[in-house]
Amino acid sequence: MDASPARPGPGRVVVGVDGSPSARTAVVWAAEEAALRGGALCLVHAAGTDTTGPLLSQAEIAGSLRAGRDLLDRTAEAVTARHPELTVVKELTDGSPPDGLRRAAALTGTIVVGHRGLGGFSSLLLGSVGLEVAAGATTPVVVVRGAAEPGVVLAAVRDENDAGCARAAAHEALLRKVPLRLVHVWGTGLSAGPRVAPRGRAEESARDHVCALTCVSDRIHDEFPELAVHAEGQKSRGVPGALVDASRHAALLVVGGRRAPGYLGPTIGRTTLSLLQHAHCPVELIPRHGPGHGSTS
């Protein structure tokens, strides 16, 4: 396991390589992240021959694996040229991309995937590999989309259970030497309820929202006294839209993943999905598995 000076016990940074422009952008981001952490970068190419094998000849399978090795070699050379101090590991798997990335990340790694689209409005949508990896995430997943410009690290805080998400964002802010911005947005549109709440109840609700944000903010201030932390709460007709707008000037948006209630299997909530599809900067998803996990990174 690779050590990191910024996070307690993280694994390596793992990124998918398939030769697409989206994957190349993800590799650049992942290499810079690994260099910031002082850890290693793992390049993963999934040939997928375990499922297509029955349809291919032995020569075709060998050619696919050879092409994968060549792609990994070229990518590793490009990364090393830019980050000569970085340890680069190459992994070629015959399985699917999501399975290969999860195996490489193991229990503590961070998975980085590119954002893919088909042109037009579809270019805003998350590709199938990224969606599957994010939905089944048990370790942090970064979807590289938008422009990773210098700016604050932004953390979306919903309630006190997002302390772990905010803590992960604080580590990222320290790595980049930028401030951390904690944002709590609560909806006032149709999703907020079928009726308009009485004034007294509305004021009480606003205090509850501010209290949740303050609780997380105070914990981060205490744990990271050297970090500039700004917290803000706001009402909006749409929570996803407000967070997408906030991401315009962020270097990274960190969110806590939630399973959609009532569903079995890998799922992600509506707000998280909207951010993965439409944010203006890379999005890091910190998995959540229940009320008790909020204290972990």
Side-chain angles (χ1 to χ4, degrees), residues 141 154-157 162 165 169 243 253-258 271-272 275-276 283-288:
V141 173
L154 180 67
V157 176
D162 273 324
C165 167
L243 291 173
L253 169 59
V254 184
V255 298
R258 290 174 173 80
T271 296
T272 302
L275 295 176
L276 293 176
V283 178
E284 181 170 6
L285 174 65
I286 306 298
R288 295 185 59 175

Side-chain angles (χ1 to χ4, degrees), residues 219-276:
R219 290 179 64 176
I220 298 303
H221 274 294
D222 290 342
E223 294 180 30
F224 301 88
E226 72 279 32
L227 180 64
V229 181
H230 308 286
E232 62 182 73
Q234 58 178 279
K235 296 185 294 184
S236 174
R237 289 185 60 85
V239 175
L243 291 173
V244 167
D245 187 61
S247 73
R248 291 182 183 275
H249 305 293
L252 178 68
L253 169 59
V254 184
V255 298
R258 290 174 173 80
R259 287 182 178 274
Y263 288 85
L264 299 176
T267 59
I268 50 180
R270 184 183 64 179
T271 296
T272 302
L273 179 59
S274 295
L275 295 176
L276 293 176

Side-chain angles (χ1 to χ4, degrees), residues 134-157:
T138 57
T139 61
V141 173
V142 178
V143 175
V144 180
R145 56 166 300 114
E149 299 177 353
V152 300
V153 170
L154 180 67
V157 176

